Amino acid sequence: MKLMPRLAFAIAALALAATALPAAAQQLKPEDQIHLRQSTMALVGYNFGILAAMAQEKRPFEKAEAERAAEILPKLAALPGRFFGEGTEKGGNTKAKPEIWKNMDDFRKKLEAMQQQVAMLPQAAGDLASLKKQVSETGKACKSCHDDYRAK
Amino acid sequence: MNGRARRVRVWDLPTRIFHWTLAVLVVFSFTTGKIGGDWMAWHLRSGYAVLTLVLFRIAWGFAGSETARFARFLRGPRAAFSHAREVLAGRHAIAAGHTPLGGWMIVAMLAAAAFQASTGLFSDDEIATQGPLAVKVSNAMVSRMSSLHAIGQWVMVTLAVLHVAAIAFYRWRLGVRLVGPMVTGWSAFPLAQEPPRMRPAWIALVLMCACALGVWWLVEIYPMR
């Protein structure tokens, strides 16, 4: 019986493929992926916006609110990257440039660089001086990716 | 340069200060916009200054010295074309103030600077910087303004490059130095012609203060209302 090993191999291959890509991206329609990456980015933007406003002294520094925003950001920043699957380069009002899918490795690298900076926000949120520094560094990581991969 | 000429004041002090400040601010705005991050605060301030300067220059174009007035240097397309032919043929008649072609370049650059400064007011880089009037309009408008602001920078750069290229062309092909007069205000001028009438600089100072006050209200007070 040659069927069983073949079937097992096919299942194993499928399972491997499924783990290679984020599960979310596999099951979602492109439309939903675009919606989710924009929604999660909006939440990242909302929370980072609070920190940026404090860093720029456009709103008073409040330790509790800064820490709340800084602590949720690493979890939020991990999300948008899941929703750049194949077939999502067009649709809706996406500003994602097709270059993302041509340079996926570089795109992922920049996404990770952003996540590394965001991960340092919680420990910097305790005082305004260190928050300013870390917001500035994080902003640079945002910009380096936006410059290349986000339409203006 | 034929005929007898004397040295005459062609550019008044306010026009010269306007010119060189704008030149510096255009380069500064472009650079800070490219660097981004912490420099964006300065990018915004630079934009407010550009807006102030452009408003002043428009006012000075009506109330200023003769060579600064739109009514004097804005000529029809026919004059501009015939002047372009003259220049390309290597001829240049000395005249105080802007040439018919140069006059249109002034309008183009003023328009581009005004466009950049005003679209910037409504722009959002969606990282950490927002123009002061972005809160006043819809997000669709903010998105459109941000795109226009991003495209407009290259219009401004193109015009600035053309401007410098034209000055180089005048210098090396026609033997006319344009930079010196814009620094000192003095230039050679035909003896037969009446020299341009200058207006006192204090009028410019008053106008400049009024423009600065208006811009300050627009970016600091109005957004809070």
Side-chain angles (χ1 to χ4, degrees):
Chain A
M1 278 291 185
K2 269 190 166 177
L3 186 64
M4 282 310 283
R6 256 190 213 173
L7 204 65
F9 180 78
I11 290 166
L14 271 172
L16 199 71
T19 50
L21 271 171
Q26 303 244 321
Q27 293 150 7
L28 291 165
K29 287 191 281 185
E31 202 182 339
D32 291 328
Q33 291 188 48
I34 291 171
H35 175 64
L36 279 163
R37 75 187 178 217
Q38 290 182 340
S39 309
T40 47
M41 266 305 201
L43 287 171
V44 170
Y46 166 69
N47 286 285
F48 186 68
I50 290 169
L51 297 179
M54 288 181 187
Q56 295 165 6
E57 294 179 25
K58 281 181 188 155
R59 65 179 276 178
F61 175 72
E62 292 165 60
K63 195 161 178 263
E65 176 65 354
E67 281 172 346
R68 184 206 60 75
E71 269 153 32
I72 201 170
L73 268 164
K75 290 192 180 69
L76 293 174
L79 290 172
R82 299 166 73 97
F83 310 118
F84 287 87
E86 290 297 324
T88 66
E89 65 271 24
K90 264 187 240 147
N93 56 348
T94 186
K95 286 183 177 175
K97 283 192 187 171
E99 278 78 3
I100 291 174
W101 290 269
K102 285 174 202 145
N103 313 300
M104 192 45 95
D105 288 345
D106 182 59
F107 176 68
R108 292 275 167 214
K109 221 160 61 194
K110 291 196 157 119
L111 212 58
E112 274 164 37
M114 178 273 286
Q115 286 161 352
Q116 277 168 20
Q117 292 301 331
V118 170
M120 287 190 264
L121 282 168
Q123 69 206 53
D127 69 285
L128 187 56
S130 52
L131 180 67
K132 278 184 182 180
K133 232 171 119 191
Q134 195 50 37
V135 162
S136 170
E137 288 307 311
T138 310
K140 279 181 207 163
C142 300
K143 181 174 161 62
S144 91
C145 195
H146 282 191
D147 281 352
D148 292 344
Y149 296 121
R150 185 176 175 282
K152 296 244 161 59
Chain B
M1 280 195 212
N2 305 316
R4 301 210 300 152
R6 61 185 153 162
R7 286 177 74 71
V8 154
R9 172 138 288 185
V10 290
W11 304 119
D12 59 24
L13 185 66
T15 304
R16 282 177 283 144
I17 291 175
F18 158 82
H19 172 269
W20 292 111
T21 317
L22 185 64
V24 168
L25 288 179
V26 165
V27 174
F28 183 73
S29 293
F30 181 79
T31 313
T32 50
K34 283 279 158 280
I35 300 169
D38 298 343
W39 284 97
M40 287 311 280
W42 286 102
H43 182 78
L44 267 64
R45 287 177 197 131
S46 180
Y48 306 156
V50 168
L51 192 60
T52 307
L53 284 172
V54 169
L55 289 173
F56 160 76
R57 186 61 186 85
I58 292 169
W60 201 235
F62 292 101
S65 303
E66 217 178 321
T67 47
R69 292 197 181 210
F70 296 125
R72 166 155 165 151
F73 67 71
L74 282 189
R75 308 277 305 276
R78 195 177 297 170
F81 278 122
S82 77
H83 171 70
R85 266 200 305 275
E86 290 273 296
V87 165
L88 290 173
R91 287 190 298 273
H92 175 73
I94 53 168
H98 300 296
T99 63
L101 212 52
W104 285 107
M105 191 60 171
I106 301 304
V107 172
M109 283 193 291
L110 276 178
F115 183 82
Q116 281 309 91
S118 44
T119 51
L121 294 174
F122 300 94
S123 290
D124 189 336
D125 74 347
E126 296 190 51
I127 296 173
T129 309
Q130 211 182 33
L133 300 185
V135 290
K136 292 283 187 185
V137 295
S138 72
N139 288 343
M141 181 62 93
V142 170
S143 181
R144 214 172 307 140
M145 287 294 186
S146 307
S147 301
L148 290 172
H149 192 67
I151 298 162
Q153 66 178 318
W154 299 112
V155 176
M156 188 75 246
V157 167
T158 306
L159 291 174
V161 168
L162 272 174
H163 178 61
V164 173
I167 292 163
F169 184 87
Y170 268 76
R171 173 68 186 87
W172 307 115
R173 286 295 178 84
L174 306 180
V176 180
R177 295 166 184 267
L178 297 174
V179 179
M182 191 45 89
V183 174
T184 64
W186 297 92
S187 183
F189 193 73
L191 202 55
Q193 282 178 33
E194 190 74 10
R197 269 172 292 120
M198 297 284 125
R199 306 246 12 223
W202 68 263
I203 299 175
L205 192 65
V206 171
L207 286 172
M208 186 69 91
C209 288
C211 293
L213 202 67
V215 170
W216 173 77
W217 180 85
L218 191 68
V219 304
E220 291 289 340
I221 307 300
Y222 175 66
M224 302 296 171
R225 284 153 72 103

